[in-house]
Amino acid sequence: MQGYMRTTGNKQCWESLSASTTGMMWKTLLVVSLFCWGKCQDSQNMTPEEKGVIRDQIVEMFDHAYGSYMKYAYPADELMPLSCRGRVRGQEPNRGDIDDSLGKFSLTLIDTLDTLVVLNKLDEFEEAVKKAVSDVRLDNDVVVSVFETNIRVLGGLLGGHVMADLLRQRGERMQWYRDELLHMAKELGHRLLPAFNTTSGLPYPKVNLRYGVLNPLSRTGTESDTCTACAGTMILEFAALSRLSGNSVFEEHARKALDVLWERRQRGSDLVGTVINIHNGEWVRRDSGVGAGIDSYYEYLMKAYILLGDNVFLDRFNVHYSAIMKYISQPPLLLNVHMHNPTVSVRSWMDSLLAFFPGLQVLRGDLKPAIETHEMLYQVTKQHKFLPEAFTTEFRVHWGQHLLRPEFAESTYYLYKATGDPYYLRVGQSIVEKLNAYARVPCGFAAVQDVRTGTHEDRMDSFFLAEMFKYLYLMFSEKSHLPIDMDGYIFTTEAHLLPISLSTTQPPCPGNDTETVRISQEDLFTHSCPSTDTLFPNNPSFAKTIRDGYKYLTGVGRAFHPLPIREIELPLHDNGMEPVEFFKSMGISLTPLNEANMGDTGRLKEHKGVYRVKLVAELSQAPEEEVVVPHVVQLISPPFLGRTVLTAGPAKFGMDLTKQEHGVKGSIVKTSPYTACGPIDNAAGLKGHIALALRGDCMFAAKARWLQKAGAIGVIFIDHREGSNSEETPLFQMVGDGDSTEDITLPLVFLFSREGAVLTAALEKHHNVDVLLLPKERQLGRDKMERVSMNLKFRLAEEGEMEGGAASGPTLEFVLENDEVLLKDEGEEELREKQQSEQQQSCTEESDRTQPSQIPDS
């Protein structure tokens, strides 16, 4: 839905919400930062022209994907984008249950029908409908998934029919159409009905399109279990089919299945399990979450209320939602718990399908947790380019696959429509860019086999065309760009369009009323219309305020929280040092500020000759979390002789280099295999040396154990993310794999990609390179003088301000000759280069980081 859905009794309320896109202004150490902040806010906004460019890019991407399917694959069910051919069931190696979505019914064509209309490709839509009517058969001797066939094929036929009927009524095209897609939908509905022939009313998970379930020729019917989502995600398509065809049998069966699931919920927690026995209704898997196996059951309760106007669905959803927020939601995480003992978490990872849930929370009006979880998911995508199929609660990759799933784009779309915050347009833009950069291939778009390596998989599922391009296109479109009014439709879980007018223009099917539910715990939005004024009074920047707390979950950085500014007295009385030298001894560089760098500093005039500087210091309190101690890899063999020093991150396990007075010295050898995730091929050459190993494919601890077993005396891990470097990315501490790491005694350090390239280039050129691993403060040749830790802010005082008594307490006066430039610490860039880089510095939200953090390996 494009509008923002609000519920009040039987009434659907829609509200277009808006939020100011200007974030809170943070006080910064230098006035220059204020200027950067202003530019940053401007960069978050998106002009209509920029949105148009992205919208055109999305259309081009769709043309590439759909055109490749039609050119290389049709009439096959799906495109194999690496092989540039169609996937026909029985002609390709069997993939198990994955192939149950394929029924030799041109799946991708049918799944894409209403997407063609949304993207205003009406000629292509009419041609696709003609192909579907003339070419597609639904009576094939194929065993298919009831769930997948319902949401993809039946939903696709219904969405296509609704669009075709609308265009026909307008009188401009489709005048030949005589409800052929609806007739096909009815045929398919009848072919799915045998799956409901169980004692409980829960459907079999599979059905033979020609022979049903119990026929000896069906090759199915032996299954006893189904997932909760599989049984509970029928009501939208089946009810729409009943309302459009006048045959109530479909809606009756779908409602019965929902009744069984509701009755079988755990009464103490109001949660449901993941897998249920279709014959006796007993739970087979009792873990409960909002991801795979359950997800669309909750979605369809809410959307069934929107589509059909039956309060029972909203009441059931609210009961479940209260339980979810009580037990499963631990913002920003969504955990899996035991339905009978919901205080017990049953696993330490989340699957990517739960990314739909923030969008569902938007429909209910619960924006705060939606924003929190979405931001967590966005941070994971920024770390891994795409959302892995599963990732741990520490945001490491659990399953590396990415199947081009649309759920994250779906929630991004809903949040943008609910808040009006252009931040979500930028998120959508990043999805578009990553798809083009990392998934696009000559014959379409390919799934990613592993986000850690970027390798592709020869599949482009139909939902990519059915869902992804709808959400992305709508995100960047205004109503004037669309051929239909999106506010009149609801998205199914496959993003097919069903008109919400079905509840009023089509009579309810007889005998389908169900008893109302007493809600034990009601909250603000159980039966009321949510609004941002109620949720976030007097806070137009509510979305950004919520997001800011979750920007650095994955260790990409850490938000800076300024402390109150106060004047301090400096100990200059008896040390006899010149002021500039004193500051240099503390590691402080003095930079004269000019009007160009000052932002709103019109009252400060240019000074020549004598500069009077009022010193204001901001003291940083010791952080509660552990401080990451920077380490170095120092190249000490000729010709480097200690002059090349690479900043490195430490590990929380292995040898503690801070307790080694002289560090660990050794020559470096590149590991084979480079990832060190298995037995080491060059163990003999590695023995007694420091190993170089590439990050990725397995945990740091696993690599360390293999290398320690091979006889290495130390390990330098190098980041596999191209272009990463210690200047732009804060250091982090490597952590173990969750088990005891006391057996690992090697010293371990981590280099980002750019620093690692320096080291590997040196090894390639000189073959024998000795290095020293040690904390940065102990590197050879480093001045060991004590340094006072403080952050300082300077501003120029007006002439006469000091003499006029404006300064309270001791002040410090610097007398500089005209055009004099203050010296900087040894090893830093010249002042002019620094000023230029500050002016060009990116103002994205990622640039706020000021402290290192710790993250696990991927």
Side-chain angles (χ1 to χ4, degrees):
M1 283 169 289
Q2 187 172 11
Y4 176 51
M5 202 285 296
R6 305 184 298 163
T7 58
T8 172
N10 288 324
K11 178 182 177 183
Q12 287 84 40
C13 302
W14 299 84
E15 179 177 50
S16 178
L17 300 179
S18 63
S20 170
T21 61
T22 303
M24 295 177 62
M25 181 180 293
W26 295 98
K27 294 181 180 179
T28 56
L29 290 177
L30 293 174
V31 181
V32 175
S33 301
L34 299 179
F35 181 61
C36 177
W37 180 89
K39 293 193 296 182
C40 178
Q41 299 309 303
D42 293 339
S43 69
Q44 283 293 333
N45 292 316
M46 188 174 287
T47 65
E49 293 75 17
E50 190 176 0
K51 290 173 67 176
V53 170
I54 299 173
R55 188 169 59 251
D56 292 343
Q57 185 179 12
I58 293 167
V59 173
E60 187 279 329
M61 293 166 62
F62 172 82
D63 288 341
H64 178 63
Y66 180 69
S68 294
Y69 167 74
M70 296 304 295
K71 179 179 180 179
Y72 300 111
Y74 181 81
D77 283 316
E78 289 182 342
L79 169 68
M80 299 172 66
L82 301 183
S83 304
C84 297
R85 67 173 188 267
R87 184 181 297 280
V88 178
R89 194 164 176 184
Q91 296 181 14
E92 302 293 336
N94 190 292
R95 301 179 299 171
D97 290 345
I98 298 175
D99 284 337
D100 289 340
S101 61
L102 311 180
K104 298 182 179 180
F105 36 35
S106 300
L107 171 64
T108 299
L109 177 74
I110 294 175
D111 219 1
T112 309
L113 288 176
D114 52 6
T115 304
L116 289 165
V117 177
V118 171
L119 270 63
N120 213 12
K121 294 186 170 295
L122 303 185
D123 291 337
E124 292 87 341
F125 171 72
E126 187 164 1
E127 182 65 25
V129 173
K130 290 179 179 178
K131 287 184 178 295
V133 171
S134 62
D135 298 347
V136 174
R137 295 180 59 90
L138 300 170
D139 62 347
N140 301 307
D141 181 12
V142 179
V143 176
V144 296
S145 162
V146 174
F147 167 76
E148 297 289 356
T149 304
N150 174 64
I151 65 172
R152 299 201 205 187
V153 186
L154 182 58
L157 290 170
L158 291 171
H161 164 70
V162 169
M163 295 296 102
D165 187 52
L166 176 66
L167 295 176
R168 179 180 60 183
Q169 291 179 27
R170 290 179 179 176
E172 299 174 1
R173 58 179 71 237
M174 303 294 295
Q175 296 305 299
W176 58 268
Y177 182 68
R178 296 294 182 268
D179 298 340
E180 287 88 348
L181 295 180
L182 179 59
H183 297 318
M184 294 173 67
K186 286 192 289 185
E187 178 189 348
L188 182 60
H190 282 292
R191 293 187 181 280
L192 294 178
L193 280 180
F196 290 85
N197 187 18
T198 61
T199 54
S200 69
L202 296 172
Y204 281 95
K206 300 179 183 182
V207 66
N208 186 298
L209 290 175
R210 179 176 296 176
Y211 298 112
V213 174
L214 301 180
N215 188 301
L217 299 176
S218 67
R219 305 187 307 281
T220 188
T222 59
E223 301 87 2
S224 59
D225 307 329
T226 193
C227 71
T228 302
C230 299
T233 311
M234 308 292 292
I235 185 63
L236 293 189
E237 293 83 2
F238 269 42
L241 181 57
S242 285
R243 304 293 174 102
L244 291 170
S245 68
N247 188 343
S248 65
V249 65
F250 307 108
E251 185 172 342
E252 289 170 357
H253 281 294
R255 283 181 177 256
K256 173 61 176 175
L258 285 177
D259 289 344
V260 175
L261 293 174
W262 172 253
E263 289 299 322
R264 300 305 300 179
R265 77 189 186 281
Q266 210 290 321
R267 300 303 177 97
S269 66
D270 285 321
L271 296 174
V272 293
T274 304
V275 177
I276 192 169
N277 185 289
I278 60 176
H279 300 298
N280 59 27
E282 296 296 325
W283 291 105
V284 178
R285 279 183 49 191
R286 293 174 173 81
D287 50 314
S288 185
V290 296
I294 302 179
D295 49 0
S296 49
Y297 163 65
Y298 294 133
E299 177 187 4
Y300 269 37
L301 286 176
M302 168 59 89
K303 291 183 176 180
Y305 164 71
I306 300 170
L307 181 67
L308 306 175
D310 189 337
N311 276 333
V312 70
F313 297 121
L314 178 62
D315 291 341
R316 289 179 182 179
F317 174 81
N318 281 327
V319 170
H320 284 313
Y321 187 76
S322 296
I324 291 168
M325 299 308 293
K326 182 177 181 180
Y327 300 116
I328 293 172
S329 176
Q330 297 186 21
L333 307 180
L334 291 166
L335 304 178
N336 272 47
V337 300
H338 196 288
M339 62 180 293
H340 294 290
N341 187 9
T343 60
V344 176
S345 179
V346 297
R347 68 189 191 197
S348 61
W349 51 272
M350 298 170 279
D351 64 76
S352 64
L353 287 173
L354 60 75
F356 91 99
F357 197 69
L360 185 60
Q361 291 179 306
V362 169
L363 286 182
R364 190 181 186 270
D366 205 356
L367 290 184
K368 184 176 184 295
I371 292 169
E372 292 171 327
T373 298
H374 179 274
E375 184 63 21
M376 176 270 290
L377 296 168
Y378 183 39
Q379 296 304 319
V380 175
T381 65
K382 288 201 293 185
Q383 183 180 8
H384 302 297
K385 296 186 178 69
F386 297 106
L387 201 60
E389 191 72 351
F391 53 95
T392 70
T393 53
E394 295 178 337
F395 314 111
R396 293 176 293 185
V397 173
H398 186 70
W399 296 331
Q401 259 188 327
H402 175 73
L403 304 179
L404 308 181
R405 292 196 186 277
E407 285 78 14
F408 178 65
E410 174 186 2
S411 288
T412 304
Y413 162 74
Y414 277 117
L415 276 168
Y416 174 63
K417 292 301 178 182
T419 66
D421 191 337
Y423 174 85
Y424 295 108
L425 291 179
R426 296 297 177 187
V427 177
Q429 182 182 15
S430 74
I431 297 172
V432 171
E433 292 172 349
K434 288 174 181 176
L435 285 172
N436 260 330
Y438 304 111
R440 186 169 183 142
V441 295
C443 295
F445 289 82
V448 178
Q449 192 172 50
D450 195 319
V451 297
R452 292 164 292 196
T453 62
T455 53
H456 287 132
E457 190 172 346
D458 201 6
R459 61 186 290 187
M460 187 181 81
D461 290 78
S462 66
F463 53 67
F464 182 60
L465 288 167
E467 301 184 65
M468 181 70 81
F469 290 106
K470 276 198 192 83
Y471 294 126
L472 291 177
Y473 185 81
L474 290 172
M475 202 182 308
F476 293 94
S477 299
E478 306 300 331
K479 286 191 174 183
S480 60
H481 301 133
L482 303 173
I484 59 175
D485 181 6
M486 295 299 299
D487 287 350
Y489 300 87
I490 187 171
F491 285 127
T492 69
T493 195
E494 190 78 4
H496 293 305
L497 299 171
L498 298 177
I500 57 176
S501 60
L502 283 180
S503 62
T504 56
T505 60
Q506 302 292 334
C509 297
N512 281 350
D513 292 332
T514 52
E515 295 182 1
T516 58
V517 180
R518 180 182 297 275
I519 302 175
S520 58
Q521 292 183 336
E522 297 195 7
D523 60 24
L524 185 61
F525 303 125
T526 300
H527 287 287
S528 66
C529 296
S531 72
T532 52
D533 290 338
T534 303
L535 283 163
F536 311 103
N538 303 317
N539 186 3
S541 302
F542 69 94
K544 181 181 185 301
T545 304
I546 296 169
R547 288 194 305 266
D548 282 347
Y550 300 96
K551 284 164 54 177
Y552 306 106
L553 282 172
T554 61
V556 178
R558 191 179 299 275
F560 169 65
H561 302 287
L563 297 168
I565 295 176
R566 55 196 168 195
E567 296 183 359
I568 63 169
E569 179 177 343
L570 293 174
L572 299 178
H573 308 296
D574 302 316
N575 57 20
M577 297 176 63
E578 292 295 327
V580 172
E581 294 302 319
F582 172 78
F583 279 109
K584 286 189 67 178
S585 74
M586 295 192 298
I588 299 171
S589 300
L590 300 181
T591 303
L593 303 179
N594 53 44
E595 285 192 47
N597 290 337
M598 291 290 285
D600 184 19
T601 57
R603 65 182 183 278
L604 295 180
K605 302 176 182 178
E606 182 179 357
H607 295 268
K608 296 182 179 179
V610 177
Y611 286 73
R612 289 186 173 87
V613 180
K614 180 181 179 182
L615 178 63
V616 181
E618 186 175 271
L619 301 182
S620 299
Q621 306 293 335
E624 294 182 0
E625 65 272 9
E626 290 183 284
V627 175
V628 177
V629 178
H631 284 50
V632 296
V633 177
Q634 189 167 18
L635 283 65
I636 57 176
S637 57
F640 307 103
L641 301 177
R643 290 188 294 267
T644 299
V645 181
L646 307 173
T647 301
K652 295 193 70 175
F653 59 100
M655 180 186 295
D656 186 354
L657 287 170
T658 62
K659 298 178 180 179
Q660 305 298 316
E661 184 177 358
H662 302 294
V664 173
K665 174 185 174 183
S667 58
I668 56 175
V669 173
K670 193 172 180 179
T671 302
S672 178
Y674 199 15
T675 56
C677 288
I680 306 303
D681 297 336
N682 60 336
L686 193 63
K687 187 173 183 180
H689 297 82
I690 295 176
L692 295 186
L694 187 68
R695 180 186 185 185
D697 291 353
C698 64
M699 298 295 137
F700 286 126
K703 298 173 187 286
R705 289 188 177 97
W706 284 113
L707 293 169
Q708 182 171 281
K709 184 178 180 181
I713 62 171
V715 182
I716 301 171
F717 294 112
I718 297 176
D719 197 5
H720 63 307
R721 297 174 301 161
E722 186 175 353
S724 64
N725 62 87
S726 60
E727 293 180 359
E728 298 177 356
T729 306
L731 295 177
F732 64 88
Q733 294 191 89
M734 296 179 287
V735 297
D737 53 7
D739 297 327
S740 173
T741 52
E742 293 181 357
D743 58 312
I744 301 174
T745 58
L746 293 175
L748 312 168
V749 297
F750 177 85
L751 292 178
F752 287 107
S753 175
R754 192 177 299 173
E755 287 82 357
V758 173
L759 189 60
T760 54
L763 180 61
E764 184 176 347
K765 182 176 181 180
H766 301 285
H767 305 295
N768 187 18
V769 177
D770 293 338
V771 299
L772 190 61
L773 311 181
L774 72 172
K776 188 172 185 178
E777 63 182 10
R778 296 182 188 168
Q779 71 186 62
L780 297 179
R782 181 180 177 86
D783 188 358
K784 296 184 179 180
M785 67 178 63
E786 289 285 330
R787 294 184 181 274
V788 180
S789 176
M790 62 177 69
N791 296 316
L792 300 171
K793 177 178 179 180
F794 300 94
R795 74 171 180 83
L796 295 177
E798 295 285 356
E799 270 313 330
E801 181 180 337
M802 300 297 185
E803 292 82 355
S808 59
T811 61
L812 183 66
E813 182 177 292
F814 295 88
V815 180
L816 305 179
E817 298 297 329
N818 285 337
D819 300 325
E820 182 176 354
V821 178
L822 296 179
L823 296 177
K824 303 178 69 62
D825 279 351
E826 183 179 352
E828 295 188 12
E829 297 179 358
E830 290 298 323
L831 172 62
R832 184 174 303 169
E833 295 174 350
K834 183 175 188 295
Q835 290 174 328
Q836 291 175 350
S837 66
E838 287 177 345
Q839 291 173 2
Q840 297 171 359
Q841 183 178 2
S842 169
C843 297
T844 60
E845 292 193 3
E846 290 83 15
S847 65
D848 277 338
R849 51 184 181 256
T850 60
Q851 298 180 15
S853 59
Q854 69 179 50
I855 60 172
D857 188 20
S858 301

